[in-house]
Amino acid sequence: GLFYLVMDLATEHGDSIELGMDRLAEKGLFWVASKTKIRIHRMPRMLEYITASTWPQEPGRIRCNRFYSVKSDTEMLAEGKTEWAIVDKESGRPHRLAEVYPEGMEYCPEIVCEEPFAKISTDFEEGEAIGEYKVRSADIDVSQHMNNVAYIRAALSAFSVKEIEDMNITEVEAVYRIQCFEGEKLSLYMRKEENITDIGIVKEDGKTAA
C-alpha cells in the first residue's frame, strides 16, 4: 500500500510540473523507476488521517531522486526515495533530464533516506526457491509491462500473513533490472543474512528481473 501511495504521489506531482506521462509521450519519452527504498517507522492505522508528500531533488544528467514522506501530524510514519530516469521509447536510451525539466524550477533541499541505495547481487543460484508468480493483466501498467508495485506484491505473496508479521519489516528496497510482461512465469528465490532478506524475482531465462 505504501508503494502504491508513493507512485501515485509521483504521478500527480509529475503532471503538475508538466512532466506527466501524457506530456512525455508526446515527445516519445517515458519515466522509468530503477530503484525505490521505503523506511517504515510505524504503519498507518486503519482510518488514521495522514499527510503524504513528495518532492524531487535537483536532477543529474540522466538520473534523479524523488523523495517521499508519510506523516501523522508531525510524526514521521514512513520516508522513502526513488531513483528515476526518462527513457526514449524508440532507442530505450536514457534522455538528458535538463532537456525536459521545467526551466527555472526551484527544488526543496530536504532529504530523507540519506544513505545510498544498497548494492544487491542479482545472483540467486544459491538461493532457496520459495515460489512462482505468473504475471497477470492486473500487474500491467500503461507501458504494457509489469508495474513496479506488482513486483513488491509478488515478493510478499511468497509469505503468509503470519510470516510477514513476524518479519516486522522496517525497510523495503526494490531494484528493477529487466521488464516483465503479461503471461510470463517468474520464479522467486530467497537469501537470508541476519536481519536482511533478499528476494530474487527471476525470469524463465534465468535473468533476475528484480
Side-chain angles (χ1 to χ4, degrees):
L2 285 172
F3 272 81
Y4 274 117
L5 176 61
V6 299
M7 288 296 171
D8 285 346
L9 286 173
T11 299
E12 290 194 26
H13 188 251
D15 281 339
S16 74
I17 58 173
E18 299 187 350
L19 287 174
M21 178 185 64
D22 293 342
R23 185 60 61 90
L24 289 182
E26 294 171 0
K27 303 175 182 179
L29 306 172
F30 66 100
W31 282 105
V32 171
S34 57
K35 302 173 184 176
T36 296
K37 176 200 292 282
I38 291 181
R39 179 172 298 129
I40 302 164
H41 301 284
R42 171 174 73 78
M43 286 295 290
R45 301 185 183 97
M46 185 70 72
L47 301 181
E48 180 177 19
Y49 283 97
I50 62 170
T51 301
S53 306
T54 185
W55 62 101
Q57 191 175 32
E58 186 170 0
R61 192 173 70 87
I62 59 172
R63 290 186 177 87
C64 59
N65 283 333
R66 174 175 284 280
F67 300 110
Y68 313 94
S69 69
V70 179
K71 295 181 178 180
S72 176
D73 292 326
T74 59
E75 181 189 2
M76 181 76 81
L77 303 186
E79 57 188 293
K81 64 179 178 180
T82 300
E83 182 185 84
W84 293 87
I86 292 178
V87 175
D88 186 287
K89 284 186 177 180
E90 291 291 329
S91 67
R93 295 178 179 274
H95 191 81
R96 288 189 63 190
L97 297 175
E99 297 176 6
V100 291
Y101 260 69
E103 192 172 336
M105 182 171 168
E106 296 183 6
Y107 297 93
C108 174
E110 183 180 355
I111 294 176
V112 295
C113 290
E114 293 187 48
E115 70 283 352
F117 287 101
K119 294 181 180 179
I120 304 173
S121 170
T122 59
D123 183 3
F124 281 86
E125 285 192 5
E126 302 300 321
E128 175 190 355
I130 57 172
E132 294 182 342
Y133 188 88
K134 185 173 182 179
V135 183
R136 303 162 296 175
S137 58
D139 299 319
I140 303 301
D141 64 17
V142 293
S143 300
Q144 299 303 307
H145 56 69
M146 191 171 176
N147 183 273
N148 295 338
V149 183
Y151 292 92
I152 307 300
R153 188 170 58 231
L156 290 173
S157 72
F159 303 97
S160 68
V161 170
K162 180 66 166 59
E163 287 172 325
I164 293 172
E165 288 176 350
D166 290 343
M167 286 181 193
N168 187 29
I169 298 170
T170 57
E171 190 167 290
V172 180
E173 188 162 342
V175 181
Y176 306 104
R177 301 283 186 181
I178 305 171
Q179 295 177 351
C180 296
F181 302 92
E182 184 179 0
E184 284 194 283
K185 188 171 71 173
L186 307 175
S187 298
L188 305 179
Y189 293 89
M190 179 174 67
R191 295 189 306 244
K192 296 193 74 169
E193 182 179 342
E194 296 183 357
N195 65 336
I196 296 174
T197 299
D198 290 336
I199 306 295
I201 299 177
V202 181
K203 291 163 74 83
E204 290 185 277
D205 62 4
K207 294 179 179 178
T208 300

